[in-house]
Amino acid sequence: MIKGLGVDIAEIDRVRKIYGRHPRFADKVLTSEEMAVFLTKKTEKAQMTYLTGRFSAKESFTKAMGTGLGKIGFHDLSVLNYESGQPYIKTDIFEGNIQISISDTDELVITEVIIEDVDKSE
């Protein structure tokens, strides 16, 4: 059963400006697993799109949980990718199914997260 749905849209240029003023912003948003991927991105554009996507995905997750950021921190979940490229969320704070989609243009990233309770009676 669907427990929550969260959607977020973020401007890549806005994240780029924040990162330019505060390079530690990436450390605040990204877990060590995500940071390892961030550092492999060869261009600033690729890094900023990745950082914006992770920021937006975490916003979407907290909206789906009904808490928003604050009660759930950026480091409470990692947004990673399978070898196929499909994103997934790794976290210990929710035991159900999590579906995630991340899309981007040159200017924007949009993310959607659906969380589903696991029926324990089955």
Side-chain angles (χ1 to χ4, degrees), residues 4-59:
L5 166 70
V7 177
D8 188 71
I9 189 165
E11 297 176 45
I12 297 168
D13 193 53
R14 184 168 181 234
V15 170
R16 179 182 291 113
K17 287 176 183 173
I18 293 168
Y19 180 75
R21 288 190 309 270
H22 306 284
R24 292 196 43 107
F25 180 69
D27 295 318
K28 179 181 175 183
V29 172
L30 303 176
T31 64
S32 59
E33 290 174 290
E34 294 165 323
M35 182 60 80
V37 175
F38 176 79
L39 294 173
T40 68
K41 302 296 180 186
K42 297 190 184 329
T43 66
E44 179 198 40
K45 178 175 175 33
Q47 284 186 327
M48 293 303 105
T49 300
Y50 182 85
L51 179 58
T52 305
R54 273 44 197 177
F55 177 87
S56 180
K58 292 175 184 194
E59 281 273 1

Side-chain angles (χ1 to χ4, degrees), residues 21-117:
R21 288 190 309 270
H22 306 284
R24 292 196 43 107
F25 180 69
D27 295 318
K28 179 181 175 183
V29 172
L30 303 176
T31 64
S32 59
E33 290 174 290
E34 294 165 323
M35 182 60 80
V37 175
F38 176 79
L39 294 173
T40 68
K41 302 296 180 186
K42 297 190 184 329
T43 66
E44 179 198 40
K45 178 175 175 33
Q47 284 186 327
M48 293 303 105
T49 300
Y50 182 85
L51 179 58
T52 305
R54 273 44 197 177
F55 177 87
S56 180
K58 292 175 184 194
E59 281 273 1
S60 288
F61 178 81
T62 63
K63 289 175 182 178
M65 291 289 289
T67 64
L69 284 168
K71 291 189 179 194
I72 297 175
F74 288 116
H75 286 221
D76 289 329
L77 60 145
S78 292
V79 182
L80 305 170
N81 295 83
Y82 295 113
E83 284 187 31
S84 65
Q86 178 185 6
Y88 68 95
I89 292 178
K90 178 180 166 185
T91 185
D92 292 331
I93 62 173
F94 182 74
E95 293 184 9
N97 297 319
I98 305 170
Q99 307 298 323
I100 180 169
S101 180
I102 304 172
S103 296
D104 61 83
T105 68
D106 285 340
E107 293 104 23
L108 301 170
V109 173
I110 186 168
T111 57
E112 179 178 35
V113 172
I114 299 170
I115 57 174
E116 302 171 291
D117 279 328

